[in-house]
Amino acid sequence: MNNFDEITKVVQKNNNFLITSHINLDGDAIGSELALYFILKKLNKKPIILNQDRLPKIYNFLPDSDKVHYLEDNCIYPKSIDVGIVLDCSNIERIGRTYEIFKDIKTIINIDHHKSNENYGSLNYVDCSTSSVGEIIYELIKSIDTDLLDERISTCLFTAIITDTGSFRYSNVSSKTFEVASHLTSNGIKPYLIADNIYNKNTYAGLKLLGKSLLTLEVDGSNYFSWLTITRKMLNDTNAKDEEIEGIIDIATTLNNVEISILFRETKDNKIKVSFRSKGNFNVNKFAGKFKGGGHPNAAGCLCSGKLDEIKEKILSELLNDIKHLGCEN
Ligand code: AMP
Ligand code: MN
Ligand code: MN
């Protein structure tokens, strides 16, 4: 793995930067992108943020959120990009269709916290002991100059951290996470306002979808895992947007005694996206890997092609098999 000095040297030597992250943007992806964007601006560089997907509405409150471009908004970027920075992506395919642009960039900096990271960059900084990429960007900025951490940057990094830790509830939280959060808070940010923006902006349609989704809840015979299903019809009937699915699986995870929760959902492009969460030792990253997915030990996902019922059947029977094999049935 490369160190911060090596990354900073590449930053100093170059001018045009294109920053991206994974499809289905989350708070860590966006908060880290914007924090890095602000730092590069402060260093008199020319950064542009470009993702495949549009910024989910709940993140509009972030400073300069209009700088988070997506492929279809036709933002103008220079023909020749010196450095591409890929955040929060375990493999390069995770950036989706922006790969068409990134494949031609000579220098790629890969900054991530997924254990399954494939070190696809020219420079790679992967630390899976951190809660979020936001925590890594915080350290990177501190290694350059702590005074660079202003209120805007702190807001973005705090957002990255609280969204990737489920507001400090997940196993990826360490004393370091609280130290970073504490330092960010001392820079004038208001955690309750950030939390209000992220968690209290549900739409009527989004809550209706949550209701319908919870009605699909099923549990296996031994009460070890649960699953939810969201179809295109449910999204159409409620008028909810795809981005409003975010967070629904976390509610299923609150079910007492259930170790693993799964969400099967039909995507706009006729694929089945499966999300996995586990509360204990069952490694969902490994499990998702069986279906060409990945993530973290307690939160992972995969994207499958095929019919919803067939994929459900395949994944649930594989899980049942694994659990029997592990001898960890309740
Ligand atoms: P999600 O279920 O989409 O919220 O994702 C949970 C975690 O798994 C995140 O850290 C994602 O980056 C990761 N993840 C989700 N889908 C995939 C995939 N198809 N391949 C690799 N990692 C994934
Ligand atoms: Mn992410
Ligand atoms: Mn992350």
Side-chain angles (χ1 to χ4, degrees):
M1 178 168 93
N2 297 97
N3 57 41
F4 288 145
D5 278 351
E6 290 166 303
I7 292 175
T8 310
K9 268 189 196 128
V10 170
V11 167
Q12 276 159 354
K13 270 197 223 147
N14 290 283
N15 196 32
N16 292 316
F17 295 82
L18 197 60
I19 305 169
T20 198
S21 189
H22 54 78
I23 53 173
N24 297 320
L25 291 164
D26 58 21
D28 188 27
I30 300 154
S32 301
E33 287 184 335
L34 277 167
L36 198 60
Y37 170 87
F38 290 131
I39 282 300
L40 290 170
K41 281 276 195 194
K42 283 190 176 201
L43 299 173
N44 294 315
K45 303 294 174 185
K46 289 189 178 136
I48 292 174
I49 302 172
L50 180 66
N51 299 307
Q52 174 190 290
D53 295 335
R54 193 179 187 147
L55 182 78
K57 266 205 181 113
I58 57 158
Y59 296 108
N60 280 344
F61 78 96
L62 286 171
D64 283 13
S65 61
D66 59 325
K67 299 289 188 303
V68 183
H69 294 285
Y70 62 107
L71 280 180
E72 268 81 43
D73 76 6
N74 295 320
C75 95
I76 297 166
Y77 55 88
K79 276 246 151 8
S80 145
I81 301 285
D82 303 327
V83 180
I85 306 182
V86 182
L87 303 174
D88 202 31
C89 292
S90 53
N91 58 65
I92 193 72
E93 290 78 35
R94 292 275 296 146
I95 71 175
R97 284 179 283 112
T98 49
Y99 180 69
E100 278 310 302
I101 300 159
F102 276 76
K103 72 178 181 355
D104 297 326
I105 305 176
K106 243 174 103 188
T107 308
I108 298 285
I109 303 179
N110 156 27
I111 302 178
D112 189 27
H113 67 132
H114 290 93
K115 204 173 173 192
S116 53
N117 192 287
E118 292 174 1
N119 291 311
Y120 49 82
S122 335
L123 287 155
N124 300 286
Y125 192 95
V126 182
D127 183 354
C128 28
S129 74
T130 59
S131 66
S132 51
V133 172
E135 213 178 298
I136 302 176
I137 301 295
Y138 165 87
E139 288 300 339
L140 172 64
I141 296 172
K142 247 182 67 176
S143 78
I144 302 170
D145 181 357
T146 307
D147 288 343
L148 290 168
L149 281 163
D150 60 16
E151 192 181 330
R152 287 185 315 175
I153 293 174
S154 299
T155 298
C156 296
L157 294 180
F158 194 86
T159 298
I161 293 170
I162 61 167
T163 51
D164 253 27
T165 60
S167 302
F168 305 105
R169 283 179 302 143
Y170 302 154
S171 59
N172 58 359
V173 174
S174 66
S175 62
K176 184 72 197 305
T177 318
F178 286 108
E179 275 170 34
V180 176
S182 167
H183 186 191
L184 296 174
T185 309
S186 72
N187 290 335
I189 62 163
K190 300 219 163 32
Y192 81 95
L193 283 182
I194 295 175
D196 185 54
N197 273 297
I198 295 170
Y199 300 115
N200 297 338
K201 303 291 174 194
N202 280 323
T203 63
Y204 181 78
L207 285 182
K208 284 280 184 191
L209 178 69
L210 168 66
K212 274 191 187 291
S213 311
L214 290 179
L215 289 174
T216 71
L217 182 69
E218 292 179 75
V219 273
D220 74 300
S222 57
N223 206 36
Y224 192 76
F225 60 91
S226 73
W227 65 98
L228 294 174
T229 310
I230 300 181
T231 60
R232 293 318 296 170
K233 184 173 183 322
M234 287 161 68
L235 284 150
N236 288 334
D237 288 351
T238 54
N239 235 348
K241 296 203 175 87
D242 282 71
E243 65 193 50
E244 291 176 294
I245 296 173
E246 195 71 42
I248 291 182
I249 188 169
D250 300 316
I251 293 174
T253 311
T254 63
L255 186 60
N256 190 26
N257 288 331
V258 164
E259 283 293 313
I260 305 160
S261 42
I262 308 171
L263 170 66
F264 297 97
R265 59 191 257 208
E266 290 176 324
T267 67
K268 272 183 189 149
D269 51 357
N270 277 324
K271 293 211 164 113
I272 309 298
K273 176 167 165 45
V274 193
S275 291
F276 303 96
R277 302 290 184 268
S278 102
K279 288 188 284 203
N281 293 330
F282 188 90
N283 188 328
V284 286
N285 170 40
K286 248 191 192 162
F287 185 74
K290 294 185 173 192
F291 305 93
K292 299 198 177 100
H296 305 283
N298 295 113
C302 64
L303 196 61
C304 307
S305 300
K307 286 212 173 86
L308 176 64
D309 285 345
E310 286 168 17
I311 286 162
K312 270 168 87 168
E313 163 67 29
K314 196 167 133 193
I315 289 180
L316 293 175
S317 55
E318 185 72 31
L319 183 59
L320 209 52
N321 197 42
D322 268 25
I323 288 165
K324 277 189 185 136
H325 185 69
L326 286 172
C328 54
E329 258 186 308
N330 275 353

